[in-house]
Amino acid sequence: MTTYKAIRGMVDILPAATPLWQSMETTALEVLASYGYEEIRLPVIESTGLFARSIGEVTDIVEKEMYSFNDRNDDSMTLRPEGTAGCVRAVVQHNLATTPQRLWYMGPMFRYERPQKGRQRQFHQIGVEAFGVATPDQDAELIALSRQLWRRLGVDDALTLEVNSIGSASDRARYREALVAYLSDRREALDIDSQRRLQTNPLRILDSKSPDTQEILDAAPALRDYLDSESREEFDQLLAYLEALDIPYRINPRLVRGLDYYNKSVFEWTTNALGAQGTVCGGGRYDSLVEIFGGKPMPAAGFAVGLERLILLMQALEITVSSPADLYVIAADEGTYRHTLPRMDALRRQFPDLNIVQHLGGGSFKSQFKRADKSGASWALVYGETEVTNNQVTLKPLRSEAAQRTIGDAELTAFLADFLAETQRA
RNA sequence: GUGGCUGUAGCUCACCAGGUAGAGCACCGGAUUGUGACUCCGGAGGUAGCGGGUUCAAGACCCGUCAGCCACCCCA
């Protein structure tokens, strides 16, 4: 017999972890709604060309990390490696950007990379994209929104905001020339990867981790000196907004994002609690992407949150949530079980927020109580012969020292209403 | 894609000049009449990731392969 395992880099999220995921997701939904962002749901597969054009032909993502294949019509398709390209495509296709739009989406992304902690081949992101506002109040709102999310999740103390401005495309072109000129003279002192990038993507040399390369970069031309006045002013304005919001930040002049479409202000939220993959959230402005995809020129900015990394961070901070059952229903035998059926059915309709777990498969009271205990339920509802003949039910507390009691069916409703009120849910 | 470490019961791990596997936790059952958690007793559960080689004999050694982890790389 053949046994199957999930394929490399594809990860099952098991019941032990889903309560934390769900809690994180609902919190995110609330925060996004509180800022007036609306959900958009997008396909997981797009034309390969869409990503090549937006992300950039010479980026690592496009060069070697895409899950691409030809469909039955021999068209090249790609499992989305990120969400912005598809979102912009949808905005253009449906003409959504006639007025400013605040959008978000959540779902799986795919990159063919070597897996390690915090890096999978299928992973999940929440993407937030805002269209139509060119001024840095938009960048500030996006950062404020993300900080609000960290606060609500209890991870804000573990995250640091890094910001930078990478200017316009023409600023970067001029800077690239200067940087290449400077580094070419010192070519042999650079690490191998940086030597290669000298031809392909020189700006990425800036965030090389090689100490030798970084030392050479200390005396290199600075990107900031090549920014036009607009980029500079808008960056300074963003910093002023961050100060007004009381969001601590670190200007990282070597922060350059890996995707070609970014311009002007960019940012990352990072942590050192996760090892090498410390970026939990990254984003910035991408003012020319809408036009590239055939829309009317339209400024835009956004960011993406890596959900696995966020979960890992929450786990590292020992943030736990659980949703145990409220009631566990025990019946003495087949006849009493049948007696409970219409009653539990009615209770579920009457109290939709109540988690009622019915014991299945029979067994002794002893074994049923063991299960009841393991379910985490607060109360066991016990139906034996006596209860059934008297139209009663026995309530046994499983989490407290309160006394067990037997009450009439009619009183159960009042009891459960009180229970929900106590647990602040009714 | 590169380098290093690891891979034994559901989980965490052990044994071992190489002589066909064990613990704790978890699981199931029991300790007289309809009651969990603690305790005691018993039980079930493993093609030792997979394939090949060396050997009388391999979970242990060698090779390959797959997977995980760590770092590089890259990003979320």
Side-chain angles (χ1 to χ4, degrees):
Chain A
M1 193 179 86
T2 327
T3 57
Y4 291 100
K5 290 190 294 183
I7 60 183
R8 173 115 117 143
M10 308 289 169
V11 174
D12 300 310
I13 300 170
L14 302 178
T18 46
L20 189 58
W21 276 85
Q22 289 175 358
S23 137
M24 181 265 290
E25 287 163 2
T26 37
T27 301
L29 264 57
E30 286 170 16
V31 171
L32 287 159
S34 79
Y35 279 81
Y37 284 70
E38 299 179 289
E39 184 181 9
I40 184 169
R41 301 198 182 191
L42 302 161
V44 170
I45 301 176
E46 300 271 3
S47 298
T48 300
L50 179 82
F51 300 114
R53 282 206 30 220
S54 57
I55 297 168
E57 297 279 1
V58 295
T59 57
D60 280 31
I61 291 178
V62 171
E63 274 183 341
K64 49 190 187 193
E65 294 175 5
M66 293 208 300
Y67 272 95
S68 299
F69 61 95
N70 287 354
D71 72 1
R72 289 170 186 278
N73 198 32
D74 217 28
D75 296 320
S76 180
M77 327 282 277
T78 294
L79 263 49
R80 63 182 182 192
E82 59 102 45
T84 302
C87 185
V88 172
R89 192 227 80 227
V91 162
V92 171
Q93 178 178 337
H94 303 288
N95 226 352
L96 295 182
T98 51
T99 59
Q101 288 283 341
R102 292 178 165 100
L103 302 174
W104 68 269
Y105 50 83
M106 174 164 61
M109 307 291 164
F110 303 83
R111 292 184 198 170
Y112 193 89
E113 294 187 90
R114 186 140 167 184
Q116 70 183 73
K117 191 195 193 95
R119 192 168 75 182
Q120 299 164 192
R121 290 183 173 181
Q122 175 176 339
F123 60 104
H124 298 80
Q125 288 186 336
I126 289 177
V128 183
E129 317 285 357
F131 297 88
V133 179
T135 43
D137 47 355
Q138 179 67 75
D139 307 58
E141 177 176 276
L142 288 167
I143 293 173
L145 190 162
S146 60
R147 193 267 302 259
Q148 196 69 38
L149 178 58
W150 314 147
R151 275 182 175 162
R152 290 278 307 276
L153 295 174
V155 298
D156 52 320
D157 287 345
L159 287 168
T160 307
L161 175 65
E162 298 192 355
V163 291
N164 192 27
S165 177
I166 59 173
S168 69
S170 60
D171 294 342
R172 285 201 302 287
R174 287 188 299 121
Y175 174 65
R176 189 180 301 118
E177 267 181 53
L179 184 66
V180 169
Y182 170 84
L183 290 176
S184 294
D185 293 341
R186 297 156 181 82
R187 194 176 198 294
E188 49 307 323
L190 297 174
D191 59 281
I192 299 290
D193 286 313
S194 294
Q195 289 186 21
R196 182 178 56 81
R197 291 202 203 97
L198 209 46
Q199 267 80 46
T200 56
N201 202 348
L203 290 197
R204 293 220 53 88
I205 298 175
L206 290 182
D207 56 10
S208 164
K209 281 180 191 164
S210 156
D212 293 343
T213 300
Q214 283 298 331
E215 202 173 312
I216 293 168
L217 287 169
D218 285 339
L223 176 54
R224 183 168 173 77
D225 296 332
Y226 287 77
L227 300 185
D228 58 30
S229 58
E230 192 179 84
S231 292
R232 277 188 208 221
E233 280 162 23
E234 288 176 9
F235 186 57
D236 289 341
Q237 216 173 344
L238 171 60
L239 299 183
Y241 292 148
L242 294 179
E243 276 150 36
L245 283 160
D246 199 27
I247 301 178
Y249 60 85
R250 193 172 79 80
I251 296 176
N252 178 357
R254 291 175 186 174
L255 173 64
V256 292
R257 315 247 41 247
L259 286 60
D260 282 1
Y261 52 67
Y262 286 111
N263 69 304
K264 290 190 175 169
S265 301
V266 297
F267 66 93
E268 277 184 14
W269 288 95
T270 61
T271 178
N272 47 26
L274 260 44
Q277 308 302 330
T279 303
V280 170
C281 172
R285 191 159 270 290
Y286 50 93
D287 290 323
S288 49
L289 196 51
V290 172
E291 193 179 1
I292 289 176
F293 282 163
K296 286 191 195 136
M298 154 107 9
F303 67 83
V305 183
L307 299 187
E308 277 79 4
R309 290 182 187 177
L310 191 51
I311 290 288
L312 283 172
L313 181 57
M314 292 172 79
Q315 288 168 339
L317 298 174
E318 290 175 348
I319 296 169
T320 53
V321 299
S322 60
S323 51
D326 298 310
L327 309 178
Y328 195 92
V329 185
I330 289 172
D333 54 30
E334 199 273 333
T336 49
Y337 166 74
R338 205 177 324 128
H339 173 85
T340 68
L341 282 177
R343 285 163 178 76
M344 293 310 116
D345 204 48
L347 284 184
R348 288 198 173 92
R349 189 148 52 146
Q350 194 174 356
F351 301 105
D353 289 336
L354 209 55
N355 300 143
I356 305 173
V357 176
Q358 180 111 34
H359 181 87
L360 303 177
S364 64
F365 265 49
K366 187 185 188 65
S367 63
Q368 294 196 48
F369 272 103
K370 278 190 178 181
R371 287 286 179 76
D373 183 49
K374 263 172 256 150
S375 77
S378 305
W379 292 86
L381 297 198
V382 188
Y383 288 88
E385 269 179 63
T386 328
E387 286 85 350
V388 168
T389 32
N390 301 331
N391 277 319
Q392 289 179 316
V393 56
T394 294
L395 301 174
K396 169 155 182 161
L398 299 171
R399 308 287 120 182
S400 77
E401 297 308 314
Q404 170 176 322
R405 62 191 130 145
T406 300
I407 60 175
D409 281 351
E411 299 164 82
L412 183 58
T413 302
F415 170 81
L416 292 175
D418 285 352
F419 172 80
L420 282 173
E422 275 168 37
T423 55
Q424 300 183 331
R425 281 184 293 169

PDB file of all heavy atoms in Angstrom, chain A residues 8-27:
ATOM      1  N   ARG A   8       6.222  18.597  -0.515  1.00  0.00           N
ATOM      2  CA  ARG A   8       7.200  19.478   0.104  1.00  0.00           C
ATOM      3  C   ARG A   8       6.732  20.930   0.191  1.00  0.00           C
ATOM      4  O   ARG A   8       6.298  21.508  -0.814  1.00  0.00           O
ATOM      5  CB  ARG A   8       8.483  19.420  -0.720  1.00  0.00           C
ATOM      6  CG  ARG A   8       9.520  20.408  -0.294  1.00  0.00           C
ATOM      7  CD  ARG A   8      10.753  19.761   0.249  1.00  0.00           C
ATOM      8  NE  ARG A   8      11.904  20.078  -0.574  1.00  0.00           N
ATOM      9  CZ  ARG A   8      13.111  20.289  -0.068  1.00  0.00           C
ATOM     10  NH1 ARG A   8      13.293  20.228   1.232  1.00  0.00           N
ATOM     11  NH2 ARG A   8      14.108  20.533  -0.875  1.00  0.00           N
ATOM     12  N   GLY A   9       6.845  21.476   1.375  1.00  0.00           N
ATOM     13  CA  GLY A   9       6.520  22.888   1.540  1.00  0.00           C
ATOM     14  C   GLY A   9       5.037  23.191   1.677  1.00  0.00           C
ATOM     15  O   GLY A   9       4.658  24.339   1.829  1.00  0.00           O
ATOM     16  N   MET A  10       4.189  22.141   1.571  1.00  0.00           N
ATOM     17  CA  MET A  10       2.747  22.315   1.740  1.00  0.00           C
ATOM     18  C   MET A  10       2.403  21.827   3.141  1.00  0.00           C
ATOM     19  O   MET A  10       2.746  20.712   3.508  1.00  0.00           O
ATOM     20  CB  MET A  10       1.977  21.492   0.699  1.00  0.00           C
ATOM     21  CG  MET A  10       2.445  21.731  -0.730  1.00  0.00           C
ATOM     22  SD  MET A  10       1.960  23.360  -1.314  1.00  0.00           S
ATOM     23  CE  MET A  10       2.903  23.464  -2.839  1.00  0.00           C
ATOM     24  N   VAL A  11       1.732  22.637   3.911  1.00  0.00           N
ATOM     25  CA  VAL A  11       1.575  22.349   5.334  1.00  0.00           C
ATOM     26  C   VAL A  11       0.108  22.245   5.720  1.00  0.00           C
ATOM     27  O   VAL A  11      -0.708  23.083   5.333  1.00  0.00           O
ATOM     28  CB  VAL A  11       2.262  23.455   6.163  1.00  0.00           C
ATOM     29  CG1 VAL A  11       1.996  23.266   7.641  1.00  0.00           C
ATOM     30  CG2 VAL A  11       3.752  23.445   5.884  1.00  0.00           C
ATOM     31  N   ASP A  12      -0.220  21.196   6.475  1.00  0.00           N
ATOM     32  CA  ASP A  12      -1.568  21.073   7.030  1.00  0.00           C
ATOM     33  C   ASP A  12      -1.663  21.926   8.287  1.00  0.00           C
ATOM     34  O   ASP A  12      -0.755  21.910   9.123  1.00  0.00           O
ATOM     35  CB  ASP A  12      -1.845  19.608   7.403  1.00  0.00           C
ATOM     36  CG  ASP A  12      -1.747  18.678   6.203  1.00  0.00           C
ATOM     37  OD1 ASP A  12      -2.370  18.991   5.178  1.00  0.00           O
ATOM     38  OD2 ASP A  12      -1.044  17.653   6.295  1.00  0.00           O
ATOM     39  N   ILE A  13      -2.735  22.648   8.421  1.00  0.00           N
ATOM     40  CA  ILE A  13      -2.981  23.387   9.658  1.00  0.00           C
ATOM     41  C   ILE A  13      -3.987  22.572  10.459  1.00  0.00           C
ATOM     42  O   ILE A  13      -5.137  22.433  10.066  1.00  0.00           O
ATOM     43  CB  ILE A  13      -3.513  24.800   9.359  1.00  0.00           C
ATOM     44  CG1 ILE A  13      -2.472  25.566   8.524  1.00  0.00           C
ATOM     45  CG2 ILE A  13      -3.813  25.550  10.650  1.00  0.00           C
ATOM     46  CD1 ILE A  13      -2.970  26.885   7.963  1.00  0.00           C
ATOM     47  N   LEU A  14      -3.534  22.008  11.558  1.00  0.00           N
ATOM     48  CA  LEU A  14      -4.302  21.003  12.289  1.00  0.00           C
ATOM     49  C   LEU A  14      -5.231  21.639  13.330  1.00  0.00           C
ATOM     50  O   LEU A  14      -5.053  22.801  13.704  1.00  0.00           O
ATOM     51  CB  LEU A  14      -3.327  20.029  12.960  1.00  0.00           C
ATOM     52  CG  LEU A  14      -2.373  19.325  11.980  1.00  0.00           C
ATOM     53  CD1 LEU A  14      -1.399  18.416  12.722  1.00  0.00           C
ATOM     54  CD2 LEU A  14      -3.155  18.522  10.947  1.00  0.00           C
ATOM     55  N   PRO A  15      -6.213  20.849  13.788  1.00  0.00           N
ATOM     56  CA  PRO A  15      -7.185  21.385  14.753  1.00  0.00           C
ATOM     57  C   PRO A  15      -6.542  22.036  15.982  1.00  0.00           C
ATOM     58  O   PRO A  15      -7.119  22.939  16.571  1.00  0.00           O
ATOM     59  CB  PRO A  15      -7.994  20.156  15.163  1.00  0.00           C
ATOM     60  CG  PRO A  15      -7.907  19.246  14.000  1.00  0.00           C
ATOM     61  CD  PRO A  15      -6.541  19.468  13.394  1.00  0.00           C
ATOM     62  N   ALA A  16      -5.355  21.565  16.359  1.00  0.00           N
ATOM     63  CA  ALA A  16      -4.694  22.177  17.513  1.00  0.00           C
ATOM     64  C   ALA A  16      -4.352  23.641  17.245  1.00  0.00           C
ATOM     65  O   ALA A  16      -4.225  24.435  18.174  1.00  0.00           O
ATOM     66  CB  ALA A  16      -3.429  21.395  17.868  1.00  0.00           C
ATOM     67  N   ALA A  17      -4.196  23.999  15.968  1.00  0.00           N
ATOM     68  CA  ALA A  17      -3.779  25.361  15.640  1.00  0.00           C
ATOM     69  C   ALA A  17      -4.913  26.225  15.100  1.00  0.00           C
ATOM     70  O   ALA A  17      -4.816  27.448  15.124  1.00  0.00           O
ATOM     71  CB  ALA A  17      -2.641  25.323  14.621  1.00  0.00           C
ATOM     72  N   THR A  18      -5.991  25.601  14.612  1.00  0.00           N
ATOM     73  CA  THR A  18      -7.015  26.404  13.958  1.00  0.00           C
ATOM     74  C   THR A  18      -7.713  27.419  14.874  1.00  0.00           C
ATOM     75  O   THR A  18      -8.084  28.496  14.380  1.00  0.00           O
ATOM     76  CB  THR A  18      -8.062  25.525  13.243  1.00  0.00           C
ATOM     77  OG1 THR A  18      -8.453  24.467  14.110  1.00  0.00           O
ATOM     78  CG2 THR A  18      -7.488  24.970  11.962  1.00  0.00           C
ATOM     79  N   PRO A  19      -7.903  27.145  16.166  1.00  0.00           N
ATOM     80  CA  PRO A  19      -8.501  28.215  16.981  1.00  0.00           C
ATOM     81  C   PRO A  19      -7.671  29.502  16.951  1.00  0.00           C
ATOM     82  O   PRO A  19      -8.228  30.606  16.845  1.00  0.00           O
ATOM     83  CB  PRO A  19      -8.534  27.606  18.387  1.00  0.00           C
ATOM     84  CG  PRO A  19      -8.639  26.145  18.148  1.00  0.00           C
ATOM     85  CD  PRO A  19      -7.772  25.903  16.933  1.00  0.00           C
ATOM     86  N   LEU A  20      -6.360  29.364  16.996  1.00  0.00           N
ATOM     87  CA  LEU A  20      -5.504  30.549  16.946  1.00  0.00           C
ATOM     88  C   LEU A  20      -5.626  31.244  15.591  1.00  0.00           C
ATOM     89  O   LEU A  20      -5.713  32.478  15.510  1.00  0.00           O
ATOM     90  CB  LEU A  20      -4.050  30.152  17.219  1.00  0.00           C
ATOM     91  CG  LEU A  20      -3.060  31.290  17.420  1.00  0.00           C
ATOM     92  CD1 LEU A  20      -3.474  32.175  18.577  1.00  0.00           C
ATOM     93  CD2 LEU A  20      -1.655  30.764  17.644  1.00  0.00           C
ATOM     94  N   TRP A  21      -5.650  30.446  14.527  1.00  0.00           N
ATOM     95  CA  TRP A  21      -5.842  31.019  13.187  1.00  0.00           C
ATOM     96  C   TRP A  21      -7.165  31.773  13.104  1.00  0.00           C
ATOM     97  O   TRP A  21      -7.233  32.902  12.620  1.00  0.00           O
ATOM     98  CB  TRP A  21      -5.809  29.910  12.121  1.00  0.00           C
ATOM     99  CG  TRP A  21      -4.431  29.551  11.680  1.00  0.00           C
ATOM    100  CD1 TRP A  21      -3.593  28.667  12.294  1.00  0.00           C
ATOM    101  CD2 TRP A  21      -3.722  30.055  10.540  1.00  0.00           C
ATOM    102  NE1 TRP A  21      -2.411  28.602  11.603  1.00  0.00           N
ATOM    103  CE2 TRP A  21      -2.463  29.440  10.528  1.00  0.00           C
ATOM    104  CE3 TRP A  21      -4.036  30.964   9.539  1.00  0.00           C
ATOM    105  CZ2 TRP A  21      -1.502  29.698   9.550  1.00  0.00           C
ATOM    106  CZ3 TRP A  21      -3.081  31.230   8.550  1.00  0.00           C
ATOM    107  CH2 TRP A  21      -1.830  30.592   8.565  1.00  0.00           C
ATOM    108  N   GLN A  22      -8.229  31.126  13.559  1.00  0.00           N
ATOM    109  CA  GLN A  22      -9.541  31.756  13.447  1.00  0.00           C
ATOM    110  C   GLN A  22      -9.601  33.045  14.243  1.00  0.00           C
ATOM    111  O   GLN A  22     -10.160  34.049  13.785  1.00  0.00           O
ATOM    112  CB  GLN A  22     -10.627  30.789  13.935  1.00  0.00           C
ATOM    113  CG  GLN A  22     -10.839  29.640  12.974  1.00  0.00           C
ATOM    114  CD  GLN A  22     -11.826  28.608  13.507  1.00  0.00           C
ATOM    115  OE1 GLN A  22     -12.316  28.744  14.616  1.00  0.00           O
ATOM    116  NE2 GLN A  22     -12.094  27.594  12.721  1.00  0.00           N
ATOM    117  N   SER A  23      -9.014  33.027  15.418  1.00  0.00           N
ATOM    118  CA  SER A  23      -9.045  34.228  16.238  1.00  0.00           C
ATOM    119  C   SER A  23      -8.248  35.349  15.570  1.00  0.00           C
ATOM    120  O   SER A  23      -8.660  36.504  15.539  1.00  0.00           O
ATOM    121  CB  SER A  23      -8.519  33.876  17.632  1.00  0.00           C
ATOM    122  OG  SER A  23      -7.651  34.853  18.097  1.00  0.00           O
ATOM    123  N   MET A  24      -7.093  34.984  15.002  1.00  0.00           N
ATOM    124  CA  MET A  24      -6.291  35.970  14.288  1.00  0.00           C
ATOM    125  C   MET A  24      -7.066  36.527  13.086  1.00  0.00           C
ATOM    126  O   MET A  24      -7.073  37.733  12.848  1.00  0.00           O
ATOM    127  CB  MET A  24      -4.993  35.293  13.844  1.00  0.00           C
ATOM    128  CG  MET A  24      -4.018  36.168  13.101  1.00  0.00           C
ATOM    129  SD  MET A  24      -4.200  36.023  11.335  1.00  0.00           S
ATOM    130  CE  MET A  24      -3.574  34.363  11.069  1.00  0.00           C
ATOM    131  N   GLU A  25      -7.729  35.643  12.363  1.00  0.00           N
ATOM    132  CA  GLU A  25      -8.461  36.084  11.173  1.00  0.00           C
ATOM    133  C   GLU A  25      -9.640  36.991  11.541  1.00  0.00           C
ATOM    134  O   GLU A  25      -9.857  38.022  10.892  1.00  0.00           O
ATOM    135  CB  GLU A  25      -8.958  34.872  10.385  1.00  0.00           C
ATOM    136  CG  GLU A  25      -7.830  34.154   9.650  1.00  0.00           C
ATOM    137  CD  GLU A  25      -8.210  32.746   9.203  1.00  0.00           C
ATOM    138  OE1 GLU A  25      -9.361  32.338   9.423  1.00  0.00           O
ATOM    139  OE2 GLU A  25      -7.342  32.054   8.640  1.00  0.00           O
ATOM    140  N   THR A  26     -10.397  36.633  12.555  1.00  0.00           N
ATOM    141  CA  THR A  26     -11.540  37.486  12.901  1.00  0.00           C
ATOM    142  C   THR A  26     -11.065  38.847  13.407  1.00  0.00           C
ATOM    143  O   THR A  26     -11.672  39.874  13.081  1.00  0.00           O
ATOM    144  CB  THR A  26     -12.458  36.844  13.972  1.00  0.00           C
ATOM    145  OG1 THR A  26     -11.650  36.151  14.899  1.00  0.00           O
ATOM    146  CG2 THR A  26     -13.446  35.913  13.368  1.00  0.00           C
ATOM    147  N   THR A  27      -9.985  38.847  14.157  1.00  0.00           N
ATOM    148  CA  THR A  27      -9.440  40.131  14.601  1.00  0.00           C
ATOM    149  C   THR A  27      -9.042  40.984  13.407  1.00  0.00           C
ATOM    150  O   THR A  27      -9.339  42.184  13.340  1.00  0.00           O
ATOM    151  CB  THR A  27      -8.217  39.908  15.502  1.00  0.00           C
ATOM    152  OG1 THR A  27      -8.603  39.120  16.623  1.00  0.00           O
ATOM    153  CG2 THR A  27      -7.647  41.233  15.993  1.00  0.00           C
TER     154      THR A  27
END
